[in-house]
Amino acid sequence: MSSRSTTAPLLLGLLCAALASTRQAGAEEGIDEGPRFKSVALEGNPLGLVVGRYSADLEYLPAPHHALHLTPVGYFALPGVGDELVGFGVETGYRWYSGADGPQGFFAGASFIALSLRYLHAAVEGVAFDAPVDTSYVQLGGAIDVGYQLVFLGNFAVGVGAGVQYTADTTEPRFEYPSHPWHDLFYGSGVRPRALLSVGTAF
């Protein structure tokens, strides 16, 4: 048998062995790397739509467990018959996540709230001495929240939570009714509960 006929199968065998070794090393590296760290999340807040509060959450994690939180807010609400609340603002703060791979797991956070609002009160027929009032004011305050966020199917994110906030108005707007617990709960100043529901993506 010639040397040429024995060399070709030998080279082919060595090439196959090298390819197999490369694939095995690549697979082992993929296992060792684990889940890819997700440093950004973008989510909407559907619960706010019920009361005319439109917002979205943007989170950036410069390191595992630590998230910077930014929420632009817009208001277009109808608190009562003929009354209207419009405005915009921002909520910004910090969250700590128990998960090490991104914005997931149990979380706790604190945020600062700043809103520029305008409340238009329309006069109610049949109410003595009631008159229309147009109030522009600034609402400032802070909030603390706790909850849980899940990232699944690669990039989908869903979070739920609860908290409490305190805000103060530079000028107190006049609501439609003398007694207005629902107005205070959803739009007023002072101490108020918070319910959180966010849906979006993390990458």
Side-chain angles (χ1 to χ4, degrees), residues 149-169:
Q149 184 153 283
L150 176 66
V151 179
F152 61 101
L153 295 178
N155 298 95
F156 291 101
V158 176
V160 294
V164 62
Q165 73 177 42
Y166 173 81
T167 57
D169 298 335

Side-chain angles (χ1 to χ4, degrees), residues 65 95-99 102-108 146-150 160:
H65 305 294
R95 273 187 184 178
W96 178 87
Y97 281 96
S98 63
Q104 57 186 327
F106 292 99
F107 67 80
V146 294
Y148 185 85
Q149 184 153 283
L150 176 66
V160 294

Side-chain angles (χ1 to χ4, degrees), residues 52 54 73-77 85-89 115-119 137:
Y54 304 89
V73 178
Y75 270 96
F76 183 79
L85 175 68
V86 295
F88 62 93
L115 303 171
S116 176
L117 302 172
R118 181 184 180 194
Y119 195 98
Y137 60 101

Side-chain angles (χ1 to χ4, degrees), residues 83-84 119-123 130-135 172-174:
D83 280 18
E84 185 176 304
Y119 195 98
L120 292 86
H121 168 72
D130 193 26
V133 178
D134 184 346
T135 307
E172 193 71 25
R174 187 169 131 200

